[in-house]
Amino acid sequence: MNEGPNSSPLTRQVTLTVLALAAFALAMVVGFGIYATAQADHVSLERQKILIANGLKDQIAAVQREQESVTVWDDSVTNVKAGNEPWIEENLSVWMYTYYGHNRIYILDAANHPVHAMRDGKVLAPAVYGEDEPELQPTIQKLRAMIAEPPKQEASAGPAKLVAADLVSLGGKPAILSVMPLVPSSDRVTQEPGSEYLHVSVEFINDAVIARIADQYLLDGAHLLSLSQPVGSAAVPLLDSRGIILGYLGWDQERPGLTLVRKMGPALLIALLVGVGVLAFLLRRLRRASLALQTSQDRAQYLAFHDTLTGLPNRALFDDRLRRTLLFASHDAARVALLYLDLDRFKHVNDTFGHPAGDELVRQTAARLRQTIREIDTVARLGGDEFAIILLDVRDVRSAEDVAERLLQKLCEPFKLVDDQVFVGASIGIALSSGPETDADDLLRKADIALYEAKKNGRGRYQIFAGDMDDLLLRKRKVEAELRKALTGAGGIKLAYQPVFAADGRTILGAEALVRWGHEVHGALPAAQFIAIAEERGLIGELGKWALLEACRFVAGTKLPWVAVNVSPMQLRDVGFAEQVASILAETGLDPSRLQLEITENVLLENNDTVRSVLADLRGSGVGVVLDDFGTGYSSLSHLRRHAIDKLKIDRSFIRLLDEDDKATAIVKALIELALALNVDVTAEGVETDAQKTLLVGMGCHQLQGFLLSPPLEPGQLLALPALSSGGAPDWTAARA
């Protein structure tokens, strides 16, 4: 009984010690939790501030891009200086409000006097400009000073963009101000330096603008705070160029640390009630769970920003790094070079060795790129065989070219794939930042355009972006896309047929198939224009196959003795072209003797073994080969003898002068006699008068083609001609004689 009192203090001491240790441990955990929560919330808040600031910069850049769409325009210069008020209202003021949401537009003349004013879609008297002039004048003067300065540009970049922007307060409301001069978009319109009218655009930082920024970065409760309202930690100031605060952008702060603590609160409460042992158990479980969660988050974040095949940054991380790089470069005047690269024979490797070999090629390419560039630079895989490289602190164009040359040299070395050596090579497009106004998307677009030019000019090379590439490529890409659509039967592309007549002007010997494209917007497009684009963009094979198939299918069901189809030099350089022609003839059931393929003299001048072999195979199968536009190129008798042509077509440029120029008459007579001496047929194209027809028949030319006899006809119109609409089976032998 005496041990009770003695044990009680010990028990209490042990209990107190355990409780003290437990309390100390709990206090440490709670204290660490509070600190970690505060740190997480602080880091998150700083990130949110950066996102809001970036969003505001993006919005300012968007206003400038929108404004530039109407200020760099011939029509803007001419109509504003002519005082065409309806045009100005429709294109430069009300339209900017309706389409882009610009709240106020002022047009100033060369003396900065207002000639037009618009507020919230309503055109007002120009005098209202005076209400806003004190706030707008500094930025306007800044732009005038920029215009007065001599133009500065480097060899690799286009002319500097003339724009002055700032944040201003109008009527107590902060707004984005952008001022640009109205300048021509082409050489067709000129204006004296200093005579430029100015386009002043104001977009208030209202709920719609703030909502766009908030939606872009997934921030909740974004709102505008005036100077008189209390400002919390989740807010960034709106500063003008003088550092004056015009207001604040606030939002509902994300608190990941506090959210985590709230979720863990019940578990901690249970741990306290159960005891020290349960608390220790829960703490251990919590640590393991936190570690697993962090590992999972790290892995998910890595996968979200890296390419799984190569481990390189993916497009998302590349876009972020490029924007940040350009942002930092704008502060220290360093230039940034962007290299856009893709492999030249990647599809061939995939088709030949399979997709696993293609994946291995991509991995080896990524490794070589990493080895070639500096650690401070970034190489990313954008998809497929496309890579992008960000070069920091580039001194000049030559520095970027040196890197491109090293990359090309490295990628020209053989790759080891499937126990075999494969040679691939690459093409590179290069674009350099031109100053603090450089936009990431625009820089990437320029590099992409330069890459296209590199591939067009022969592959295995690099190309620096030049300003004139932009509009030309956009037009060509639009025509290319519409031509691809047209070849599927959805775009108005078709064949017309111009008959070839005998000397009597009535007997039809055959017809030439001509590609016609009735564009739904631009009407009939010149064949030479879209065929040149098809050759340049790699569509000529598809277009030529379509024309050949359509012509053979049509003629096979008619009495027409033969049809002539024009063939591109690129088709003749394809070793499989003769087999393609044979396949089409078999599919349509057309006799080879009823098909003639028209080529140009330039093809013969190439002296290409493939071309020579293809022409020999075509003639061996019974298909006729016609030399088109004869006499306009570098004609050579040796080429005619070597390739054994079946027919010569005298170009219309000689026929047109037959009854006007004795020299032209002598040339045509010599060409006809040459054809007769070579024992080949001869056709005169472009016959337009009876006098021309009489002279040609008298010289011995018995195949005539031209508007005098018939223009190009629709298939139905051709079949309706008397020579083809009569009954009975046609005599092909007589028709070809």
Side-chain angles (χ1 to χ4, degrees):
M1 295 295 297
N2 293 331
E3 293 181 0
N6 293 331
S7 63
S8 182
L10 180 60
T11 303
R12 287 195 300 270
Q13 184 178 3
V14 171
T15 302
L16 290 174
T17 301
V18 171
L19 290 176
L21 291 174
F24 177 75
L26 181 60
M28 291 292 294
V29 172
V30 171
F32 176 77
I34 294 174
Y35 175 77
T37 299
Q39 285 296 108
D41 290 346
H42 175 72
V43 171
S44 176
L45 177 60
E46 293 303 314
R47 179 184 63 83
Q48 295 166 44
K49 289 182 178 181
I50 292 174
L51 294 178
I52 285 288
N54 289 343
L56 184 58
K57 289 182 179 179
D58 290 344
Q59 192 60 38
I60 295 173
V63 170
Q64 294 175 353
R65 288 195 300 271
E66 294 160 2
Q67 187 182 22
E68 187 179 14
S69 68
V70 299
T71 57
V72 184
W73 190 8
D74 290 347
D75 291 351
S76 294
V77 176
T78 56
N79 282 281
V80 169
K81 290 193 174 182
N84 189 346
E85 187 64 21
W87 191 95
I88 296 173
E89 176 180 340
E90 180 180 356
N91 294 276
L92 299 185
S93 65
V94 174
W95 186 83
M96 295 294 288
Y97 171 80
T98 305
Y99 195 80
Y100 292 124
H102 293 206
N103 300 97
R104 296 186 181 183
I105 299 294
Y106 298 110
I107 307 295
L108 307 182
D109 63 15
N112 293 342
H113 295 145
V115 297
H116 180 84
M118 183 279 296
R119 291 186 178 180
D120 296 327
K122 295 181 180 179
V123 177
L124 304 176
V128 300
Y129 167 72
E131 299 174 8
D132 295 338
E133 183 178 10
E135 287 75 22
L136 307 183
Q137 192 63 26
T139 307
I140 292 172
Q141 293 300 332
K142 178 181 177 182
L143 179 61
R144 286 296 186 189
M146 294 170 59
I147 296 174
E149 291 180 358
K152 298 179 180 179
Q153 71 176 63
E154 299 186 15
S156 63
K161 183 190 299 183
L162 291 175
V163 59
D166 201 354
L167 296 181
V168 296
S169 179
L170 301 179
K173 297 186 293 184
I176 298 170
L177 168 63
S178 179
V179 186
M180 287 188 179
L182 298 178
V183 295
S185 56
S186 71
D187 296 332
R188 294 190 298 271
V189 176
T190 60
Q191 63 179 346
E192 291 295 324
S195 68
E196 296 87 348
Y197 279 51
L198 301 186
H199 187 275
V200 181
S201 184
V202 175
E203 184 177 34
F204 286 110
I205 303 176
N206 51 27
D207 293 341
V209 173
I210 296 173
R212 287 197 293 270
I213 298 174
D215 291 343
Q216 182 179 2
Y217 296 108
L218 304 179
L219 298 175
D220 296 327
H223 55 282
L224 180 66
L225 295 172
S226 65
L227 296 176
S228 61
Q229 293 178 281
V231 178
S233 58
V236 294
L238 298 173
L239 299 173
D240 65 10
S241 58
R242 298 167 297 175
I244 297 176
I245 299 176
L246 308 179
Y248 293 86
L249 283 182
W251 64 94
D252 295 339
Q253 181 182 352
E254 295 179 4
R255 297 180 179 273
L258 183 58
T259 302
L260 181 62
V261 169
R262 287 174 178 171
K263 290 182 178 180
M264 292 173 51
L268 293 175
L269 180 60
I270 293 173
L272 288 173
L273 296 175
V274 172
V276 175
V278 176
L279 176 62
F281 174 74
L282 290 176
L283 288 175
R284 288 195 297 270
R285 291 293 301 272
L286 177 62
R287 188 175 185 278
R288 288 196 296 268
S290 298
L291 183 60
L293 178 61
Q294 185 61 49
T295 302
S296 176
Q297 289 178 339
D298 290 344
R299 179 61 178 168
Q301 186 175 19
Y302 180 85
L303 293 176
F305 293 103
H306 289 79
D307 174 53
T308 55
L309 181 62
T310 62
L312 294 176
N314 62 11
R315 179 175 285 275
L317 183 55
F318 164 79
D319 288 342
D320 180 71
R321 287 191 180 178
L322 180 59
R323 294 180 190 280
R324 291 176 180 272
T325 301
L326 292 174
L327 179 64
F328 293 140
S330 66
H331 297 306
D332 55 18
R335 300 190 69 187
V336 176
L338 178 61
L339 277 60
Y340 203 162
L341 175 151
D342 77 357
L343 304 178
D344 287 337
R345 301 179 67 244
F346 181 70
K347 184 177 185 299
H348 174 75
V349 171
N350 264 343
D351 295 342
T352 304
F353 299 99
H355 288 285
D359 290 343
E360 178 59 25
L361 175 60
V362 170
R363 279 191 289 267
Q364 292 187 27
T365 299
R368 294 188 185 186
L369 296 179
R370 273 194 297 249
Q371 294 167 3
T372 308
I373 66 171
R374 302 169 299 177
E375 290 186 4
I376 63 172
D377 299 326
T378 297
V379 56
R381 183 190 180 205
L382 303 187
D385 62 331
E386 296 180 350
F387 298 86
I389 300 169
I390 305 172
L391 302 180
L392 303 178
D393 300 328
V394 177
R395 295 189 303 274
D396 49 30
V397 176
R398 187 59 213 169
S399 299
E401 290 178 327
D402 290 341
V403 176
E405 289 174 355
R406 291 199 301 270
L407 291 171
L408 290 177
Q409 184 178 5
K410 193 71 175 179
L411 295 176
C412 282
E413 298 175 3
F415 291 86
K416 188 67 176 295
L417 300 176
V418 196
D419 298 326
D420 196 3
Q421 283 190 338
V422 176
F423 293 86
V424 178
S427 299
I428 302 175
I430 305 174
L432 273 72
S433 64
S434 56
E437 303 296 334
T438 302
D439 178 74
D441 293 335
D442 189 54
L443 193 66
L444 183 60
R445 180 181 59 80
K446 291 178 179 178
D448 185 27
I449 292 173
L451 173 61
Y452 162 74
E453 289 294 322
K455 285 185 169 294
K456 185 189 74 173
N457 294 332
R459 302 177 183 268
R461 64 194 305 277
Y462 65 84
Q463 178 68 53
I464 304 291
F465 174 83
D468 57 355
M469 295 178 181
D470 214 338
D471 293 339
L472 179 62
L473 181 62
L474 289 176
R475 290 195 298 270
K476 288 183 178 179
R477 284 185 171 175
K478 184 176 181 181
V479 173
E480 175 195 0
E482 292 172 343
L483 183 58
R484 289 185 187 276
K485 180 181 177 182
L487 289 175
T488 64
I493 194 167
K494 59 185 179 180
L495 291 181
Y497 298 88
Q498 187 171 26
V500 177
F501 289 84
D504 59 11
R506 296 184 301 275
T507 304
I508 296 178
L509 304 177
E512 179 183 1
L514 302 170
V515 180
R516 295 290 184 263
W517 187 9
H519 195 277
E520 59 184 6
V521 176
H522 303 295
L525 292 178
Q529 183 183 90
F530 67 81
I531 288 175
I533 293 177
E535 290 180 335
E536 182 179 308
R537 302 295 291 175
L539 280 174
I540 193 62
E542 187 177 348
L543 177 60
K545 181 179 179 181
W546 175 87
L548 191 60
L549 180 61
E550 286 292 312
C552 291
R553 182 182 291 130
F554 167 70
V555 174
T558 70
K559 299 177 182 180
L560 195 65
W562 49 260
V563 66
V565 181
N566 290 279
V567 176
S568 165
M570 299 182 69
Q571 292 176 271
L572 292 174
R573 298 185 195 112
D574 182 358
V575 293
F577 180 65
E579 294 181 6
Q580 183 186 101
V581 174
S583 174
I584 290 175
L585 291 171
E587 178 182 344
T588 58
L590 184 68
D591 189 284
S593 64
R594 298 179 64 191
L595 175 64
Q596 297 179 7
L597 300 180
E598 297 192 2
I599 65 175
T600 59
E601 293 175 275
N602 292 337
V603 175
L604 304 184
L605 290 173
E606 292 181 5
N607 198 23
N608 184 293
D609 290 338
T610 300
V611 172
R612 191 160 42 245
S613 174
V614 168
L615 290 176
D617 290 344
L618 290 170
R619 296 193 74 252
S621 69
V623 174
V625 177
V626 180
L627 190 58
D628 195 12
D629 300 334
F630 186 66
T632 60
Y634 295 93
S635 307
S636 170
L637 294 179
S638 63
H639 289 129
L640 295 178
R641 177 180 53 79
R642 184 184 305 118
H643 291 281
I645 301 301
D646 295 293
K647 182 192 292 186
L648 300 179
K649 291 188 72 176
I650 302 176
D651 186 68
R652 66 183 68 250
S653 62
F654 297 113
I655 306 301
R656 185 175 65 251
L657 300 175
L658 262 183
D659 47 1
E660 302 175 4
D661 188 345
D662 293 340
K663 293 181 180 179
T665 303
I667 292 174
V668 172
K669 189 174 187 301
L671 294 178
I672 294 174
E673 291 176 351
L674 173 62
L676 296 176
L678 293 173
N679 196 28
V680 298
D681 293 334
V682 59
T683 299
E685 59 180 357
V687 180
E688 298 181 354
T689 67
D690 287 320
Q692 294 171 355
K693 174 177 175 295
T694 301
L695 285 172
L696 288 167
V697 173
M699 294 177 187
C701 180
H702 302 300
Q703 293 191 17
L704 308 173
Q705 183 183 20
F707 277 77
L708 173 67
L709 305 168
S710 173
L713 302 173
E714 298 286 336
Q717 295 174 319
L718 178 66
L719 297 179
L721 294 177
L724 297 178
S725 59
S726 60
D731 183 358
W732 305 125
T733 303
R736 289 175 59 86

